[in-house]
Amino acid sequence: MEELTTEQKIIDAARKIFTQKGYAATKTRDISEAAGINLALLNYYFGSKENLFKLIVLEKFKEMFGLLNPVLSDENVSLEEKVKTLVDYYTNLLSENEDLPIFVLSELKNNERIFDDILQMARTISQPVIEKQLKEKGIVLSPANFVINIISLTIFPFVAKPMLISSGIVEENDFAAFIEKRKQEIPVWINKMSTQQHRL
């Protein structure tokens, strides 16, 4: 197995600690200790906690939203396929990284402009394609609502997991099965919502 570089050790440690503690509560000393290096090396490679944090947040944001643009902007992928692909991707990603949406959303709240370039590019490229596909199907639904419906239905249970479990809506041991069932059902719901909107 290839040995990690010092830079990669720092990134891996920072990823773990920022996710656990958030930006404000994390100290550079925490990261250097977790990486097994001295503080001077961390400053040498990244200059500051802020620079390292931006790298980690952008990495996590791209992991979470990186598939949106290629799938949504592909004219050869039908609306139904788009829904299924995104729901499958987000369900699988978040099942393995349950802390990811909370981390990204909390940092987005703290620094709402950090993802401007990425989001603007995705919106500019994908919106005309979604608009065209919705129009061709006679569905009166904005591209924004189409995408928000997919993302919110998929991501919300992960964000609300503590509440769902503490309230007894879902048992801890049943959560994975609950999510897997939703993965099959969400594309059906989206299709029904779109059809009902079309009838209205």
Side-chain angles (χ1 to χ4, degrees):
M1 188 175 179
E2 192 174 326
E3 189 175 339
L4 292 176
T5 64
T6 300
E7 190 172 2
Q8 192 57 53
K9 284 179 184 175
I10 295 169
I11 291 170
D12 288 352
R15 185 186 297 118
K16 182 179 178 182
I17 292 172
F18 279 136
T19 300
Q20 288 173 346
K21 296 185 172 184
Y23 179 76
T26 296
K27 296 181 171 53
T28 50
R29 188 169 301 283
D30 298 333
I31 298 169
S32 64
E33 286 175 3
I37 53 112
N38 64 52
L39 193 55
L41 270 176
L42 187 148
N43 291 326
Y44 171 77
Y45 279 103
F46 296 99
S48 69
K49 180 175 88 166
E50 183 181 5
N51 289 340
L52 185 53
F53 180 71
K54 282 181 180 176
L55 187 148
I56 299 300
V57 173
L58 285 172
E59 174 192 88
K60 283 187 172 285
F61 186 80
K62 285 174 182 175
E63 184 181 7
M64 191 165 169
F65 293 108
L67 189 72
L68 274 179
N69 193 42
V71 171
L72 294 177
S73 62
D74 190 340
E75 293 186 33
N76 297 314
V77 178
S78 69
L79 286 175
E80 292 79 10
E81 290 174 302
K82 282 177 167 62
V83 175
K84 186 175 186 325
T85 300
L86 292 174
V87 170
D88 285 353
Y89 172 77
Y90 283 119
T91 300
N92 296 337
L93 174 67
L94 299 179
S95 292
E96 295 171 8
N97 304 273
E98 290 187 5
D99 60 329
L100 187 57
I102 291 290
F103 178 82
V104 170
L105 292 173
S106 73
E107 299 314 329
L108 182 58
K109 181 181 178 183
N110 294 334
N111 186 356
E112 59 191 36
R113 306 205 67 82
I114 195 168
F115 307 126
D116 276 3
D117 292 343
I118 299 170
L119 290 172
Q120 179 62 30
M121 182 181 71
R123 190 181 69 80
T124 303
I125 295 173
S126 65
Q127 184 168 325
V129 174
I130 300 297
E131 273 181 350
K132 180 184 175 192
Q133 290 181 315
L134 289 169
K135 188 175 180 181
E136 285 172 352
K137 285 191 165 287
I139 298 169
V140 185
L141 188 69
S142 72
N145 279 324
F146 176 76
V147 174
I148 289 167
N149 285 345
I150 299 168
I151 293 175
S152 59
L153 283 169
T154 309
I155 292 178
F156 181 76
F158 292 96
V159 175
K161 182 180 177 182
M163 179 192 73
L164 294 175
I165 290 171
S166 66
S167 66
I169 293 173
V170 181
E171 296 293 328
E172 177 93 50
N173 294 337
D174 297 335
F175 188 75
F178 171 73
I179 290 298
E180 190 60 31
K181 189 165 187 256
R182 285 181 64 85
K183 185 166 79 169
Q184 309 307 318
E185 292 175 336
I186 290 169
V188 177
W189 297 338
I190 295 285
N191 187 50
K192 283 184 178 176
M193 276 191 282
S194 300
T195 305
Q196 287 169 354
Q197 185 67 29
H198 169 45
R199 287 174 183 157
L200 294 175

